Amino acid sequence: MPTAVNLKSVTNNVGWSVLSKTSTFGLKFVTVPILARILSPQEFGVVAVAQTVVMFLTMIGSAGLSASLILEAEEDDETVHSVFWVNLAVAIAMAACIYLWADSFAGFLGAADAGYLLKIMAFLIPLQLAGDVAYSLLARRLAFQKDAAWSVVSESIGALTAVGMALAGFGVWSLIGQLFVSAIVRLGGLFYASGYRPRFVLSMAKVGALTKYSLGIMGSEIFNFITFQSPLVVVSRHLGLADAGAYSAANRFSSIPNQVLLAGLMGVLFPVFSHMSNDTRRRSDALMLSTQVSTVVLAPMMFGIWAIAEPGMLLIFGQQWAYAWPVLGLLAVSKGIMSPCSTYIPFLKGAGRSGVLWWVAVLRAGLVYGLVSYGVMTGGLVAAMVWLCVANAITLVFYSWAVFRTNGTAFLSGLYVTTRPMIAAIIMAVAVRFLIDHIKTGLPGGASANAIWQVLVGAAAGAAIYGVLLLLTERDLLRKLVELIRQRKAQPAGAGS
């Protein structure tokens, strides 16, 4: 591989990647509540349903061939150009299918009014897939600072476009404008940052050599997409666009901490684990450490959102969305349960185990779809979110078993070590929720001011409680991190792996 991997190079790239995701999702933290106060739940719902189809086909198109370039020992120009043209041809074919059968897709998803939006959003697919090869070249070179800069620029311009159009009265078109502007800017930025310029070179033999791995990745991404998007489809079909809009708004917000860390880690760890393909001990140590650290950071955020969901929903989204606070809280819990799994996908991809990824994704998709559907039909939106939590708890167990088996780690000890920070986060969240329930009537101000106080007190108490629990339960991990920080300061970024 062209770039040496050591502690400093990995942490530098994780830092850049997380910084970009923090910036872009920080924009969502600001823009989603603004747009939620301007637009109606129905408008959010119709765009969310239409975007589901586009995201699904984009994920299929980008999952395999471009990712396989990261595992290649060398950057072969013929292979790179061939993957670009095959990706582009697939993207155009997918866009044409959406455009021609947009009304049928929308009707199937329970949102017949979204057909006209689907026709327009079909053009997003070539815009998004055309940059995949350029991104893969940056990833294999561990040049995430370049990708980070263009991610921030594209998302910032898109967010400003959305808010400006919404304030100008464009309604649902403000969300469409955000998607297109961000996609166009990011595409140009990726080509500029990577230096990649497509040439018409096509070797189907080169593409064929990548298909075994890429088909496994593509299959897993299809079922991962079903996992992530099926709740929205089920809610839309059975409960209507208003509940779909409530789910979409709550899911967008509760996903911010999750996606900041996951997107930042997964993008970097995949090429890092692939660099370590010939050093299984080193890769195993990296898996356990990165899983522990990601859980320590992510779990308290997600369970903390559950603890302050009621005042938080009112404060951030406004009175018209306040009724949906249980949805926000339960969605955060469902994501918090999966926090130890943050590193599993990049580990399996980097280890070349696309087959394991595929069958785990199939099992998870079936669980989520089945249990959420049961919840919707028996108890409505809140019950569906409870069953989503149950599905994710089951997924955590069998996903951990599959990864630890691949890694050669004892299942029970591995599960205990990686979930211990999550258990501490759950204890913290329950304590904060108990505290808020008993002091909220005594806090000053009207409804909005009282909600602010609840959030502030809850956040301060949660940080203090979780800090104490970490000192009690994760002293070995904290000592290891301090030692790694010292090693990092003494290690030049360009040192050998």
Side-chain angles (χ1 to χ4, degrees):
M1 301 292 259
T3 305
V5 175
N6 57 30
L7 180 62
K8 180 164 278 190
S9 68
V10 171
T11 53
N12 281 346
N13 281 284
V14 169
W16 278 110
S17 187
V18 171
L19 175 62
S20 75
K21 303 306 177 185
T22 302
S23 301
T24 56
F25 285 103
L27 288 169
K28 291 186 178 181
F29 183 90
V30 175
T31 57
V32 169
I34 292 173
L35 293 171
R37 291 172 180 268
I38 299 171
L39 306 176
S40 69
Q42 287 81 2
E43 288 173 317
F44 261 89
V46 73
V47 173
V49 171
Q51 194 176 2
T52 297
V53 179
V54 174
M55 289 174 61
F56 175 59
L57 295 180
T58 300
M59 187 174 291
I60 293 175
S62 64
L65 287 176
S66 296
S68 64
L69 292 176
I70 297 174
L71 289 180
E72 292 291 285
E74 302 292 338
E75 286 185 18
D76 176 63
D77 287 344
E78 188 176 11
T79 302
V80 171
H81 293 312
S82 298
V83 169
F84 173 83
W85 291 112
V86 170
N87 267 7
L88 186 59
V90 170
I92 293 172
M94 288 178 173
C97 289
I98 289 184
Y99 189 89
L100 292 173
W101 291 291
D103 292 334
S104 298
F105 282 124
F108 173 77
L109 295 174
D113 293 341
Y116 74 102
L117 289 179
L118 263 179
K119 290 186 176 182
I120 296 170
M121 293 172 69
F123 294 97
L124 281 170
I125 297 177
L127 287 175
Q128 292 174 345
L129 291 186
D132 280 355
V133 166
Y135 171 79
S136 293
L137 293 177
L138 290 176
R140 63 174 283 113
R141 300 166 189 166
L142 295 181
F144 286 94
Q145 72 278 13
K146 297 179 180 179
D147 173 63
W150 282 104
S151 293
V152 173
V153 170
S154 63
E155 292 295 332
S156 299
I157 296 175
L160 291 173
T161 300
V163 173
M165 291 179 67
L167 291 173
F170 283 92
V172 72
W173 294 105
S174 59
L175 300 175
I176 303 300
Q178 178 181 19
L179 296 172
F180 272 93
V181 169
S182 295
I184 292 169
V185 174
R186 178 162 171 73
L187 177 61
L190 286 173
F191 277 111
Y192 175 79
S194 66
Y196 175 65
R197 301 295 182 268
R199 290 191 293 111
F200 191 72
V201 176
L202 182 62
S203 170
M204 296 309 296
K206 295 281 189 178
V207 173
L210 305 177
T211 54
K212 182 179 179 181
Y213 174 82
S214 64
L215 286 175
I217 297 295
M218 183 181 297
S220 70
E221 292 294 348
I222 290 173
F223 286 100
N224 282 335
F225 186 86
I226 293 172
T227 297
F228 299 137
Q229 298 300 324
S230 61
L232 175 64
V233 175
V234 171
V235 169
S236 174
R237 285 178 60 85
H238 293 281
L239 301 179
L241 286 177
D243 275 356
Y247 170 85
S248 177
N251 191 48
R252 284 190 180 202
F253 185 77
S254 64
S255 295
I256 290 173
N258 203 352
Q259 292 185 20
V260 166
L261 183 63
L262 283 182
L265 273 178
M266 288 175 66
V268 175
L269 289 182
F270 170 29
V272 167
F273 283 131
S274 69
H275 277 263
M276 299 176 180
S277 58
N278 296 321
D279 190 344
T280 54
R281 176 61 183 273
R282 187 173 174 222
R283 191 174 62 193
S284 176
D285 291 342
L287 169 66
M288 297 304 293
L289 178 62
S290 59
T291 302
Q292 285 181 274
V293 172
S294 64
T295 308
V296 164
V297 175
L298 182 59
M301 294 183 186
M302 304 316 303
F303 288 102
I305 290 176
W306 170 81
I308 59 172
E310 185 172 6
M313 197 74 180
L314 174 64
L315 177 64
I316 296 169
F317 288 92
Q319 188 62 48
Q320 69 168 334
W321 298 84
Y323 73 94
W325 74 265
V327 179
L328 173 63
L330 289 168
L331 277 169
V333 169
S334 72
K335 299 175 196 304
I337 291 170
M338 292 295 292
S339 56
C341 303
S342 305
T343 59
Y344 292 172
I345 290 178
F347 170 76
L348 291 172
K349 289 172 70 174
R353 303 301 293 271
S354 59
V356 177
L357 267 176
W358 182 85
W359 69 258
V360 169
V362 171
L363 290 174
R364 186 184 179 192
L367 268 175
V368 169
Y369 180 80
L371 292 181
V372 169
S373 298
Y374 175 78
V376 164
M377 291 184 285
T378 58
L381 184 57
V382 173
M385 298 302 98
V386 172
W387 282 105
L388 177 61
C389 294
V390 174
N392 280 356
I394 297 171
T395 299
L396 170 64
V397 175
F398 73 71
Y399 209 167
S400 298
W401 174 83
V403 168
F404 294 148
R405 185 170 181 269
T406 300
N407 191 45
T409 302
F411 169 62
L412 291 179
S413 62
L415 184 65
Y416 171 70
V417 169
T418 53
T419 59
R420 192 168 52 207
M422 183 183 73
I423 296 170
I426 293 172
I427 296 171
M428 174 273 293
V430 171
V432 169
R433 187 69 172 266
F434 179 83
L435 173 66
I436 289 177
D437 286 344
H438 283 76
I439 68 170
K440 61 183 178 182
T441 56
L443 295 174
S448 296
N450 186 271
I452 294 174
W453 276 109
Q454 289 183 54
V455 170
L456 292 176
V457 170
I465 294 170
Y466 190 67
V468 171
L469 291 173
L470 276 187
L471 290 174
L472 293 174
T473 61
E474 301 295 340
R475 284 177 299 212
D476 289 343
L477 174 62
L478 295 175
R479 279 195 292 266
K480 185 183 295 185
L481 292 176
V482 170
E483 180 60 28
L484 287 175
I485 290 171
R486 290 173 180 167
Q487 292 178 19
R488 183 188 184 280
K489 290 180 179 179
Q491 186 179 57
S497 58

